[in-house]
Amino acid sequence: MRTSLRRALALRFAATMAAGLLLAAGAFYWAAARALEAPTPTPVLEGDLLVALLAVVITGSAATLVGAWHFTSSAVRPVAEITAQATTIEAGTLNQRIVAHADTEEYEGLVAVLNRMLERLERGFAAQRRLTADVSHELRTPLTTLRGQIEVALRAVRSPREYQLVLRDALDDIDRLTTLSEDLLLITRANA
C-alpha cells in the first residue's frame, strides 16, 4: 500500500507522542494515588509531586526522543538506500536501475525520476559511442588513402606530372577531412 510520507510521519509522530503522554499520565497517576492513599504531610506530598513531575518530564522526553529517532530513521532509510545505489552507477553501468524499498509516493516518485534520467543518460552515452565509432571510421579512410598515396609517391622518383596527380588526390582527401571536421564542429555546437 502506497502512502504519503507526510501522512506516515504524522502518524508515527502521533504514536510517539501518545506513548510519551501515557507514560507521563502513569507517573502522575502514581503520585496522585500515593497522595490520596493516606494523610501525608505537605512537605512529603510536595516532594512526591516534584518527583512525579520530574519523572513525567524525563519519561515523556525519553519516549518522545526514542520515537522521534525511530520515525526519522525510518523516514531517511530510503534516501540512504537510494543514495547508496546511485553512487555505484557510473558511465559503464548506466543500465543499472535504482530499486528502493520505499512505500511512500514521494520516494517512489523520486526513484521513477532517477530511473528515467538514467535511461536518458544511457541512450545519450550509446549515441555518443556510435558517433565516436562512425567518426573514427570516417576519419581513418581519407587518412589511410592519403598516407598510401604519399608513400607510393615517395618510393621512387616521379615526374612532376605524377607528383601533381598525387598532390591533387591528397588535396581532395584533405578537403574531405576538412568537410568532416566542419560537420563535427557543427554537430558539437548544435548539441551544446
Side-chain angles (χ1 to χ4, degrees):
M1 179 178 112
R2 287 176 17 173
T3 182
S4 164
L5 179 62
R6 186 175 296 157
R7 188 178 316 121
L9 291 178
L11 290 174
R12 290 175 188 167
F13 183 74
T16 300
M17 291 302 293
L21 289 173
L22 282 174
L23 288 171
F28 187 76
Y29 178 77
W30 170 82
R34 186 165 165 185
L36 295 174
E37 207 172 77
T40 3
T42 304
V44 172
L45 185 59
E46 287 174 355
D48 283 352
L49 285 175
L50 185 60
V51 167
L53 287 176
L54 280 175
V56 165
V57 169
I58 291 171
T59 313
S61 296
T64 302
L65 178 64
V66 167
W69 185 268
H70 171 72
F71 85 77
T72 55
S73 295
S74 67
V76 173
R77 191 174 303 119
V79 173
E81 185 179 343
I82 291 167
T83 303
Q85 289 180 35
T87 55
T88 63
I89 298 173
E90 296 177 355
T93 59
L94 285 174
N95 60 340
Q96 292 179 353
R97 295 297 176 257
I98 297 173
V99 181
H101 301 93
D103 58 352
T104 62
E105 296 169 356
E106 292 85 356
Y107 290 135
E108 287 177 356
L110 175 63
V111 168
V113 165
L114 289 173
N115 283 334
R116 283 194 303 270
M117 180 186 67
L118 286 170
E119 288 172 14
R120 288 191 306 271
L121 284 172
E122 183 180 16
R123 286 192 307 267
F125 271 77
Q128 183 181 16
R129 280 191 296 273
R130 281 191 307 275
L131 177 66
T132 303
D134 291 347
V135 166
S136 173
H137 177 71
E138 288 296 321
L139 287 173
R140 196 174 308 139
T141 302
L143 287 172
T144 303
T145 305
L146 188 59
R147 181 188 250 323
Q149 290 170 346
I150 292 172
E151 285 176 352
V152 167
L154 292 176
R155 281 195 189 142
V157 178
R158 310 267 179 210
S159 69
R161 171 112 173 100
E162 290 173 320
Y163 282 126
Q164 282 182 346
L165 288 174
V166 169
L167 290 175
R168 278 195 192 109
D169 286 344
L171 191 57
D172 288 342
D173 286 334
I174 290 172
D175 286 342
R176 283 182 56 200
L177 288 170
T178 303
T179 302
L180 185 60
S181 65
E182 288 172 356
D183 290 346
L184 285 173
L185 186 59
L186 180 66
I187 290 171
T188 304
R189 286 181 182 158
N191 286 338

